Amino acid sequence: MRNQLSGSIPSEIGLLSGLTWLHLSDNQLTRSILSEVGLLSYLQWLQPYTNQLTGSIPSELGLLSDLVGLNLGSNQLTSSIPSEEELHLDNNQLTRSIPSEVGLLSDLWKLQLHSNQLTGSIPSEVGLLSDLTYLQLYNNQLTGSILSEVGQLSYMGWLELYNNHLTGSIPSE
């Protein structure tokens, strides 16, 4: 559903203590995601995708222990990656390399980092994500080879790595 909400997410959002789902997609919201979102201790789904949000991803999102879904795609966000089961940070302006800490996201089954400006190689720690089913890293500036660890991910069903600068062969196992 599309609305025409504009402006910024108000800081009073942090007062909605019982909120479990915040879906603000397909609007014209601007500025940054407020750290007050980290006060929403029951929040399970945060989906402000397809807006015009800028700035960094607040570290307070890492405090949301009930959060299982995060879709920040199609914004203009920068900074590092928080921890969830589904991570949608596609179509932003993320730069630098994929941090090795991604391997600590033990419950992660869907990782969408496509259409950013990520550089460096795919960290070997991706191979630790035993539940990973979707890995979408296309349209970045990634280099190096596709790690053999990717071939060992038994649940992998969706692997998209095109439009990078990767070399070598696709792992068979």
Side-chain angles (χ1 to χ4, degrees), residues 48-63:
Y49 61 90
T50 313
N51 278 287
Q52 299 166 22
L53 298 171
T54 59
S56 62
I57 301 165
S59 60
E60 289 82 359
L61 291 185
L63 300 174

Side-chain angles (χ1 to χ4, degrees), residues 14-152:
L15 300 175
L16 302 174
S17 59
L19 193 65
T20 59
W21 190 298
L22 183 57
H23 192 144
L24 297 170
S25 68
D26 296 306
N27 283 291
Q28 298 166 15
L29 297 173
T30 57
R31 299 196 187 128
S32 62
I33 299 171
L34 300 173
S35 60
E36 285 83 357
V37 172
L39 298 173
L40 303 173
S41 58
Y42 294 106
L43 194 63
Q44 296 176 359
W45 290 92
L46 177 60
Q47 298 187 334
Y49 61 90
T50 313
N51 278 287
Q52 299 166 22
L53 298 171
T54 59
S56 62
I57 301 165
S59 60
E60 289 82 359
L61 291 185
L63 300 174
L64 299 173
S65 58
D66 289 345
L67 196 64
V68 295
L70 176 66
N71 190 340
L72 302 174
S74 299
N75 281 291
Q76 299 168 23
L77 299 169
T78 58
S79 113
S80 61
I81 300 172
S83 161
E84 311 307 330
E85 288 181 18
E86 286 186 44
L87 194 53
H88 302 260
L89 294 172
D90 51 295
N91 291 303
N92 279 291
Q93 296 175 9
L94 298 177
T95 58
R96 299 188 185 178
S97 61
I98 300 169
S100 61
E101 291 82 3
V102 73
L104 300 174
L105 306 176
S106 58
D107 294 330
L108 193 67
W109 66 274
K110 189 173 200 178
L111 180 59
Q112 292 181 301
L113 298 175
H114 65 82
S115 305
N116 280 290
Q117 298 167 26
L118 296 170
T119 59
S121 61
I122 300 169
S124 61
E125 290 81 359
V126 168
L128 300 174
L129 302 173
S130 59
D131 293 335
L132 195 62
T133 305
Y134 293 88
L135 180 60
Q136 296 174 306
L137 302 176
Y138 62 90
N139 290 338
N140 280 291
Q141 298 167 24
L142 298 172
T143 57
S145 61
I146 302 170
L147 304 167
S148 61
E149 290 89 349
V150 172
Q152 297 169 5

